[in-house]
Amino acid sequence: MRYAAYLASVILTLISIVLVFAHHVDWWWGVAVFGAIAALGTVDLLQTRSTLRRNYPVLAHFRYGLESIGPEMRQYFIEADTAEVPFSRQQRALVYQRSKSVNDVRPFGSQADVYSLDYEWINHSLAPTAHISHDFRVVIGENSAQPYSASVFNISAMSFGSLSANAIRALNKGAKLGNFYHDTGEGSISPYHRENGGDLVWEIGSGYFGCRDDKGMFSEERFIANARDAQVKMIEIKLSQGAKPGHGGVLPAAKVSAEISATRGVPMGQDCVSPAAHTAFNSPQGLLQFVARLRELSGGKPTGFKLAIGHPWEWFGIAKAMQETGVLPDFIVVDGAEGGTGAAPAEFIDHVGVPMHEALMLVHNTLVGLELRDKIRIGAAGRVTSAFDIARTLAMGADWCNAGRGYMFALGCIQAQSCHTDRCPTGIATQDPSRWRKLDVPDKSTRVFHFHDNTLKALRDLLCAAGLSHPGEIGPEHILRRVSPTEVRSLGALYNFLAPGDLLGKVPDHAVFKSFWANARSDSFAAPERLLAMRASKSF
């Protein structure tokens, strides 16, 4: 039976040929159709790369066809509304509803299992506060020459090149309408970022795109030309990103268009390489010197860095360098391992980097322990789509949140997960003009604005229900999590929070600090001697 389809196609082809020669000319379709199937089966039998095709000529292609549409079949017909892979239908629907400003209320009852492990909620108050303005803001760089008042919910780093021209236009126009910021991503500031005048945070990665010389090194002159633009509100040095920390990138020469070449400052006809590591510094102290240098060159704009936490001693080295030198970033953005990207190796996207909750807690605790927390603002990103996501993240120590894929959903992303193919069906993550030109900028920018606005209204309602007036007031005691069928813990009880000054002259009773704080170095990212000795104990 393995060959039944192939043999049938051969027989039907021969019958069709006979009928045509018998003057039944309308049977040419049979020759064409059955002949093509027979030819396919013959190729299957003769090729040597696929055993499956040799054993099941013709039939094997049905398997490949079904397999190719498997993700779509599961997403639309099989997966539960609450299955997060990586975002649930329920999460996406909420973004779509809020971006379109349509009714987002739900009837009858929650679909969430409130007795399942990890179920979370926010405790309400018997003395709720009156509704207030939902334009929640946080001042970043209070002591810098040009402090910035940022919304508590902004657009994460997504570069032109990863996103299309019209996607960038729509995001930036939405940010302009809603008075929140749009992070450029490390691909630098494109003409499409500038068209609508929305606030920009310029992210500078290891490729120094937009501020590099002809050899790919940092250029002060080119940095100043972009950084002093009034549209640029803050400077963010990218140390690593959650989805693929410690991994560089290559944009093949074929994809380096004239626009990308001009935006990034790279030549056409050559691969555009983003190295895994920076060349402008190689130590914690060097990083802080670079922060101070960029702040000065930009005219005093708030300057900080973004990182995904990995080796704790490296972050501790940065913190010690702050303590020893007195040079502080204005902000730190913590990117969680659950963050998104256009393309990343499977192992990196699944198994590299610390998830946002633990990473945020480590950064927040360290700054509190050094009595630096009031001087440095913290942003956080990692699968944030709802007001509750924002509230939980702020309760764990952040001052504001960023979102990438949430705003992509507002643009119309359907989670096709084809970002790396250049065939994005919604024209968002593609450079194919026949696709991205179909994305209507006025309509999508309005949806971006509405998503931001309605999400902050929902955040306001949560805060008022909890008896609070500003996101800065929410603490770990407000968020509860089920840890067993019969036990519930607040985040304040579940996590170990340091008290101000706990790291000054002592080491707190906290596993990570006890293991790595004392041996972290402000002059080097190198591992402690104890760990090097453990590595050396292995046989090679």
Side-chain angles (χ1 to χ4, degrees):
M1 297 300 293
R2 296 186 282 136
Y3 302 98
Y6 173 58
L7 293 175
S9 66
V10 172
I11 293 170
L12 289 171
T13 301
L14 294 174
I15 292 173
S16 299
I17 292 172
V18 170
L19 289 171
V20 168
F21 279 102
H23 304 294
H24 295 282
V25 293
D26 54 336
W27 272 86
W28 273 112
W29 70 268
V31 176
V33 173
F34 298 131
I37 296 173
L40 178 64
T42 302
V43 172
D44 289 341
L45 284 172
L46 296 177
Q47 59 82 39
T48 58
R49 295 185 63 185
S50 170
T51 304
L52 185 66
R53 287 169 58 196
R54 296 184 79 181
N55 281 331
Y56 294 88
V58 178
L59 289 176
H61 294 277
F62 286 95
R63 176 192 179 277
Y64 297 140
L66 291 171
E67 186 178 50
S68 69
I69 63 171
E72 290 79 8
M73 296 294 288
R74 288 190 293 273
Q75 179 174 331
Y76 291 113
F77 300 109
I78 299 172
E79 290 169 0
D81 286 348
T82 55
E84 298 184 15
V85 281
F87 288 86
S88 70
R89 185 178 290 107
Q90 198 173 82
Q91 289 170 314
R92 301 196 308 273
L94 182 64
V95 177
Y96 298 148
Q97 290 162 347
R98 287 183 172 162
S99 65
K100 297 174 184 177
S101 253
V102 300
N103 196 341
D104 64 357
V105 299
R106 293 180 185 160
F108 210 67
S110 175
Q111 294 183 29
D113 181 358
V114 299
Y115 295 102
S116 65
L117 296 185
D118 295 332
Y119 173 73
E120 293 177 318
W121 67 93
I122 182 170
N123 273 349
H124 67 282
S125 171
L126 293 179
T129 51
H131 275 194
I132 50 177
S133 169
H134 61 283
D135 184 25
F136 300 123
R137 313 198 74 78
V138 55
V139 177
I140 305 172
E142 287 181 296
N143 297 319
S144 64
Q146 301 186 53
Y148 177 60
S149 177
S151 170
V152 297
F153 189 39
N154 303 283
I155 301 172
S156 265
M158 295 182 286
S159 301
F160 169 61
S162 295
L163 299 191
S164 67
N166 276 7
I168 294 294
R169 285 176 167 130
L171 288 171
N172 194 257
K173 187 174 182 180
K176 177 70 172 180
L177 292 171
N179 194 23
F180 56 101
Y181 81 64
H182 178 193
D183 194 310
T184 66
E186 68 172 311
S188 193
I189 309 169
S190 73
Y192 309 111
H193 286 95
R194 300 183 188 276
E195 284 184 11
N196 294 298
D199 289 354
L200 295 177
V201 170
W202 182 17
E203 182 180 271
I204 297 173
S206 54
Y208 306 115
F209 300 129
C211 57
R212 58 189 269 143
D213 61 21
D214 295 337
K215 295 181 180 179
M217 309 298 282
F218 176 72
S219 164
E220 288 191 0
E221 181 181 358
R222 293 180 181 178
F223 172 78
I224 291 171
N226 272 327
R228 298 204 176 185
D229 187 317
Q231 193 179 351
V232 175
K233 304 301 181 182
M234 301 198 296
I235 309 298
E236 177 183 283
I237 302 165
K238 173 190 167 184
L239 302 182
S240 52
Q241 71 178 89
K244 50 181 178 180
H247 190 281
V250 177
L251 188 66
K255 293 187 177 182
V256 181
S257 65
E259 290 175 316
I260 291 176
S261 172
T263 296
R264 300 193 178 194
V266 297
M268 294 182 66
Q270 298 179 23
D271 290 344
C272 176
V273 178
S274 180
H278 280 263
T279 56
F281 56 87
N282 58 10
S283 68
Q285 291 178 0
L287 165 63
L288 297 182
Q289 291 166 4
F290 192 55
V291 167
R293 183 181 175 194
L294 297 192
R295 185 161 45 213
E296 180 182 359
L297 293 174
S298 68
K301 293 183 178 180
T303 304
F305 55 85
K306 178 180 84 173
L307 82 167
I309 293 294
H311 297 314
W313 61 83
E314 295 177 350
W315 157 243
F316 289 163
I318 297 172
K320 282 189 171 183
M322 296 180 200
Q323 180 189 27
E324 294 170 8
T325 65
V327 178
L328 306 179
D330 295 297
F331 66 91
I332 298 170
V333 174
V334 179
D335 207 20
E338 63 269 50
T341 184
E347 290 83 0
F348 276 77
I349 209 163
D350 287 336
H351 300 293
V352 180
V354 178
M356 188 256 281
H357 293 180
E358 288 75 15
L360 172 59
M361 286 294 308
L362 186 66
V363 171
H364 171 72
N365 266 334
T366 305
L367 296 181
V368 169
L370 291 175
E371 294 187 341
L372 295 175
R373 183 63 184 86
D374 61 332
K375 299 177 178 65
I376 301 170
R377 299 295 189 184
I378 299 178
R383 206 178 287 176
V384 174
T385 56
S386 73
F388 182 78
D389 294 335
I390 298 173
R392 184 213 298 115
T393 305
L394 301 188
M396 299 182 77
D399 293 302
W400 82 90
C401 290
N402 292 338
R405 289 165 293 178
Y407 282 101
M408 288 176 67
F409 291 138
L411 289 176
C413 170
I414 60 173
Q415 196 171 264
Q417 300 184 65
S418 58
C419 313
H420 60 300
T421 66
D422 206 35
R423 295 193 296 272
C424 172
T426 56
I428 297 170
T430 177
Q431 296 303 305
D432 182 350
S434 69
R435 293 175 180 267
W436 63 255
R437 283 176 179 159
K438 304 294 195 305
L439 191 154
D440 186 76
V441 173
D443 175 63
K444 302 307 182 187
S445 61
T446 302
R447 292 190 184 189
V448 168
F449 162 70
H450 284 315
F451 170 54
H452 174 269
D453 192 58
N454 289 323
T455 300
L456 289 191
K457 286 179 180 176
L459 178 63
R460 174 199 62 194
D461 293 347
L462 282 180
L463 294 173
C464 290
L468 307 174
S469 300
H470 189 276
E473 298 174 6
I474 192 168
E477 73 279 6
H478 291 104
I479 306 297
L480 283 294
R481 182 182 299 166
R482 184 174 296 283
V483 296
S484 83
T486 58
E487 294 179 293
V488 168
R489 296 283 187 275
S490 73
L491 297 186
L494 197 58
Y495 289 94
N496 189 348
F497 284 83
L498 297 194
D502 270 356
L503 285 172
L504 298 177
K506 57 182 178 179
V507 179
D509 187 19
H510 186 296
V512 179
F513 289 96
K514 287 174 70 175
S515 296
F516 302 113
W517 176 256
N519 295 317
R521 296 170 51 184
S522 64
D523 63 341
S524 174
F525 289 117
E529 291 294 331
R530 177 177 60 85
L531 295 185
L532 295 176
M534 290 171 64
R535 296 177 192 173
S537 67
K538 294 186 290 186
S539 299
F540 293 95

